[in-house]
């Protein structure tokens, strides 16, 4: 039969349950602004009826209810939205880094501007044009020297900045790898703590939130996959199982590089760094090296005017089928009787066809550009020939000599044919080899570099913004499920408060009834 104190027990269960609901609501409100927190709810259910079918079963009609109890405190979370968010977050991390790197490359190239490489090259060509008007003028020669040094310095500085950016990306990959390993260790530790609490029958919701938040941060750094196993999360990073239960397999920068090469590292900031370094930065370093080397030694086709006297022993491929021809006094062919179209190796090759104004006998020009370290010319080591730096008179401007015999020849100082040919190289097409399918001018080649960089930056910006919007959209969907709504929590607070007050009133009422029954029965008339 129904216990005398049945109602008291029912009220007590209600008070305990509503207290738990109020405490959970307060916990949600407290963590409304906590990153990674998922709102929690109390799962309530009606307790079992008072008694089961049997001989001593109560004669009360139906089954007498015994109140309410809470079975668990659970967090509200959808795995599908978590996976979607992490995929979009990885894409965002990759595009953000690529856009940032391309922005830095644009700052290095500094085009279009009045102080960039194009301006320096224009000054270089203009200086040769001015020199052609008065090839003996020492001021114009010094201007050619200085504008050439400005050009080589600009190429050197650009190369240095590209090397610094390359090094910076490499260092950042190492730093991000260390950060990823710290997050992976945190996930493994949380796996162990969660497993211990779950073995006691508890729901470690806050620890689960911390674990998921660590995975969220990890997804910004690289593409991750999460599998729920009996001993916790198994985390796969770039195709490599990095966490299994409490066991961590540390990541390395070399391992991530191999994953990128193998196609398993497909997203995240580390992916963006490796791609930016190995594709963007390496490509522009190669193009700038190609620009410098071609400017100095790339094949160009020029026309030597009639009357040109080539230096003794000059060898040019002007014979049938481009065979070599030696121009010498012995062959009596040094003086050209007609215009001659020849192919020479860049500014260096053309400069060595002319004569300087230094010395008392005709002196052919040396290589105009050299490398600082004696290696092949690149943007990083190109410089003006040190001999010309020390003596601008060694800049060759003339293609004519007068007199007969090697000892009697004198340079026609006023001849400007070579200086004019140098100035005209601005529009001459250089052979950039495999870098381009057809020859083009140096200015056009650099324009193609700047144009390519601009298009790549615009595309990266577009992709970054799209990835940002998609990530925010998925996160909003996730927050609509897991996030804390203060309005909803305040409504719940009022609801649970009234339920608690009603249960308290219910207990008070039965306390008064029992007091009347126990203390007043049989005392009538006393």
């Amino acid at each position: 039969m129904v216990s005398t104190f049945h109602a008291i027990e029912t009220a007590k269960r209600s008070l305990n349950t509503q207290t738990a609901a109020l405490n959970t609501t307060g916990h949600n409100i407290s963590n409304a602004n906590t990153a990674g927190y998922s709102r929690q709810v109390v799962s309530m259910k009606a307790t079992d009826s008072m008694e089961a079918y049997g001989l001593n079963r109560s004669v009360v009609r139906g089954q007498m209810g015994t109140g309410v109890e809470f079975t668990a405190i659970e967090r509200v979370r959808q795995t599908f939205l978590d996976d979607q968010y992490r995929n979009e977050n990885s894409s965002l991390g990759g595009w953000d880094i690529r856009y940032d790197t391309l922005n830095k490359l644009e700052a290095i190239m500094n085009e279009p501007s009045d102080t960039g490489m194009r301006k320096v090259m224009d000054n270089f060509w203009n200086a040769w044009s001015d020199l052609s008007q008065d090839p003996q003028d020492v001021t114009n020669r010094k201007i050619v020297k200085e504008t050439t040094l400005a050009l080589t310095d600009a190429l050197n500085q650009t190369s240095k900045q590209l090397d610094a950016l390359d090094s910076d990306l490499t260092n950042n990959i190492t730093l991000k790898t260390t950060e990823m390993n710290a997050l992976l260790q945190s996930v493994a530790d949380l796996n162990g703590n969660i497993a211990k609490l779950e073995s006691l029958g508890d729901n470690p919701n806050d620890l689960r939130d911390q674990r998921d938040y660590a995975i969220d941060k990890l997804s910004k750094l690289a593409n991750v996959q999460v599998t729920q196993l009996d001993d916790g999360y198994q985390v796969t990073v770039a195709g490599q199982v990095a966490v299994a239960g409490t066991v961590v397999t540390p990541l390395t920068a070399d391992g991530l590089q191999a994953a990128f090469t193998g196609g398993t590292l497909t997203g995240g900031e580390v992916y963006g760094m490796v791609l930016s370094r190995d594709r963007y930065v390496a490509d522009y370093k190669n193009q700038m090296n190609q620009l410098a080397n071609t400017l100095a030694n790339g094949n160009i086709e020029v026309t030597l005017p009639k009357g040109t006297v080539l230096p003794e022993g000059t060898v040019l491929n002007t014979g049938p089928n481009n065979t070599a021809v030696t121009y010498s006094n012995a062959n009596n062919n040094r003086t050209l009787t007609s215009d001659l179209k020849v192919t020479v190796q860049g500014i260096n090759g053309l400069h060595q066809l002319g004569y300087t104004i230094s010395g008392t006998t005709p002196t052919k020009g040396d290589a105009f550009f050299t490398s600082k370290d004696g290696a092949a010319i690149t943007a990083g080591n190109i410089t003006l020939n040190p001999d010309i730096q020390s003596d601008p008179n060694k800049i060759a401007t003339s293609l004519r000599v007068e007199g007969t015999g090697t000892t009697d020849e004198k340079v026609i100082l006023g001849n400007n044919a070579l200086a004019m040919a140098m100035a005209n190289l601005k529009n001459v097409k250089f052979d950039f080899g495999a870098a381009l399918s057809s020859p083009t001018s140096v200015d056009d080649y650099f324009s193609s570099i700047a144009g390519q960089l601009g298009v790549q930056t615009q595309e990266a910006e577009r992709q970054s913004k799209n990835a940002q919007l998609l990530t925010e959209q998925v996160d909003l969907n996730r927050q609509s499920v897991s996030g804390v709504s203060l309005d909803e929590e305040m409504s719940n607070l009022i609801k649970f408060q009234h339920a608690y007050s009603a249960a308290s009133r219910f207990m008070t009422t039965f306390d008064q009834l029992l007091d009347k029954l126990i203390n007043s029965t049989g005392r009538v008339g006393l």
Side-chain angles (χ1 to χ4, degrees):
M1 60 183 295
V2 178
S3 168
T4 303
F5 296 97
H6 168 73
I8 297 294
E9 289 296 323
T10 299
K12 183 183 75 172
R13 292 190 187 96
S14 179
L15 289 174
N16 289 338
T17 300
Q18 304 308 323
T19 298
L22 284 168
N23 288 335
T24 301
T25 301
H27 186 52
N28 287 340
I29 293 172
S30 299
N31 288 280
N33 296 315
T34 300
Y37 179 80
S38 304
R39 68 186 178 95
Q40 299 176 13
V41 296
V42 175
S43 297
M44 303 181 188
K45 75 166 188 175
T47 53
D48 295 337
S49 57
M50 190 181 72
E51 56 184 350
Y53 179 82
L55 180 63
N56 296 322
R57 181 174 178 274
S58 171
V59 296
V60 176
R61 295 285 182 179
Q63 289 188 322
M64 180 65 69
T66 56
V68 66
E69 66 178 355
F70 68 96
T71 56
I73 299 176
E74 299 174 336
R75 63 179 189 149
V76 181
R77 194 100 179 188
Q78 284 190 3
T79 303
F80 168 74
L81 291 176
D82 284 339
D83 292 341
Q84 197 174 25
Y85 172 80
R86 289 162 189 162
N87 288 336
E88 297 298 341
N89 203 30
S90 291
S91 177
L92 174 62
W95 280 112
D96 277 352
I97 293 297
R98 293 166 70 173
Y99 178 47
D100 178 68
T101 302
L102 288 166
N103 265 331
K104 291 177 180 177
L105 286 170
E106 283 196 324
I108 291 173
M109 294 300 177
N110 194 25
E111 291 294 340
S113 73
D114 293 332
T115 57
M117 184 68 68
R118 185 188 298 278
K119 181 64 174 179
V120 175
M121 287 194 295
D122 284 342
N123 291 340
F124 173 74
W125 301 124
N126 291 337
W128 275 106
S129 179
D130 291 341
L131 180 59
S132 70
Q133 297 176 27
D134 188 358
Q136 293 178 259
D137 184 62
V138 66
T139 300
N140 287 337
R141 287 179 171 272
K142 288 183 177 180
I143 290 175
V144 169
K145 182 190 81 168
E146 294 302 328
T147 55
T148 303
L149 287 173
L151 174 60
T152 57
D153 287 346
L155 288 167
N156 296 162
Q157 180 64 15
T158 299
S159 179
K160 182 179 178 180
Q161 290 174 318
L162 290 173
D163 287 340
L165 182 56
D166 184 290
S167 178
D168 182 53
L169 288 168
T170 299
N171 292 335
N172 282 340
I173 291 170
T174 302
L175 292 174
K176 291 298 180 181
T177 302
T178 302
E179 182 180 347
M180 292 167 69
N181 284 330
L183 290 170
L184 292 170
Q185 185 61 56
S186 177
V187 172
D189 293 341
L190 288 167
N191 275 344
N193 293 335
I194 290 170
K196 290 176 184 178
L197 292 173
E198 287 179 339
S199 67
L200 300 175
D202 292 337
N203 277 344
N205 296 316
D206 294 328
L207 295 183
R208 288 172 177 168
D209 283 342
Q210 293 176 29
R211 183 175 63 180
D212 281 325
Y213 186 53
I215 298 294
D216 287 348
K217 290 195 288 186
L218 192 63
S219 70
K220 187 71 176 291
L221 303 176
N223 53 297
V224 300
Q225 289 181 327
V226 177
T227 305
Q228 177 70 59
L229 302 178
D230 293 338
D231 56 352
Y233 279 174
Q234 175 182 287
V235 183
T236 302
V237 179
Q240 173 185 335
V241 176
V243 174
T246 57
V247 178
V248 178
T249 303
L251 301 171
T252 64
D254 290 340
L256 292 171
Q257 175 69 53
F260 174 83
T261 304
T264 54
L265 178 62
T266 58
E269 292 182 353
V270 175
Y271 168 79
M273 291 174 186
V274 177
L275 185 144
S276 295
R277 182 194 63 189
D278 295 352
R279 182 179 299 176
Y280 296 144
V281 178
D283 179 43
Y284 287 105
K285 284 174 65 176
N286 290 336
Q287 291 191 70
M288 293 306 296
N289 289 338
Q290 185 69 49
L291 174 66
N293 189 270
T294 301
L295 184 66
N297 298 314
N299 286 342
I300 51 175
E301 192 175 79
V302 296
T303 300
L304 301 177
K306 177 182 177 181
T308 295
V309 181
L310 294 173
E312 175 69 22
T314 299
V315 178
L316 297 173
N317 294 330
T318 56
N321 299 319
N322 290 326
T323 55
V325 174
T326 301
Y327 292 83
S328 64
N329 288 328
N331 293 332
N332 195 30
N333 60 354
R334 286 181 58 201
T335 301
L336 302 183
T337 57
S338 62
D339 290 350
L340 178 65
K341 184 175 292 187
V342 297
T343 298
V344 296
Q345 293 184 326
I347 289 179
N348 282 352
L350 181 57
H351 192 258
Q352 293 176 81
L353 295 181
Y355 301 94
T356 72
I357 63 171
S358 63
T360 57
T361 59
T363 303
K364 64 176 283 188
D366 288 330
F368 192 74
F369 292 111
T370 60
S371 64
K372 296 177 180 178
D373 52 11
I377 290 178
T378 66
N381 65 19
I382 189 172
T383 187
L384 176 63
N385 190 317
D387 291 338
I388 298 177
Q389 292 185 43
S390 60
D391 183 7
N393 285 331
K394 291 185 178 181
I395 297 175
T397 54
S398 176
L399 288 175
R400 300 283 299 274
V401 295
E402 59 184 356
T404 59
T406 305
T407 58
D408 295 332
E409 286 182 349
K410 292 183 180 180
V411 177
I412 299 178
L413 301 180
N415 182 264
N416 66 352
L418 183 60
M420 290 183 62
M422 285 288 188
N424 292 334
L425 290 184
K426 177 182 173 122
N427 301 314
V428 169
K429 297 183 183 298
F430 285 68
D431 184 359
F432 284 85
L436 287 178
S437 58
S438 59
T440 187
S441 69
V442 172
D443 284 7
D444 287 345
Y445 183 77
F446 183 74
S447 294
S448 71
I449 295 176
Q452 176 190 12
L453 179 57
V455 172
Q456 287 176 334
T457 304
Q458 286 181 345
E459 175 63 11
E461 180 182 19
R462 185 185 69 83
Q463 292 282 14
S464 179
K465 288 181 178 179
N466 287 346
Q468 180 70 41
L469 290 173
L470 289 172
T471 303
E472 290 176 352
Q473 182 179 5
V474 174
D475 193 42
L476 286 174
N477 292 338
R478 192 168 65 157
Q479 290 299 318
S480 69
V481 175
S482 303
V484 175
S485 168
L486 290 177
D487 291 339
E488 181 181 356
E489 297 302 327
M490 291 301 294
S491 298
N492 288 338
L493 196 64
I494 296 172
K495 178 175 66 175
F496 298 140
Q497 178 189 9
H498 283 308
Y500 185 92
S501 298
S504 300
R505 181 61 182 165
F506 174 57
M507 178 175 282
T508 300
T509 299
F510 265 87
D511 178 62
Q512 291 173 350
L513 291 175
L514 291 174
D515 177 66
K516 189 68 175 178
L517 176 65
I518 295 171
N519 296 321
S520 300
T521 302
R523 296 170 60 86
V524 178
L526 295 180

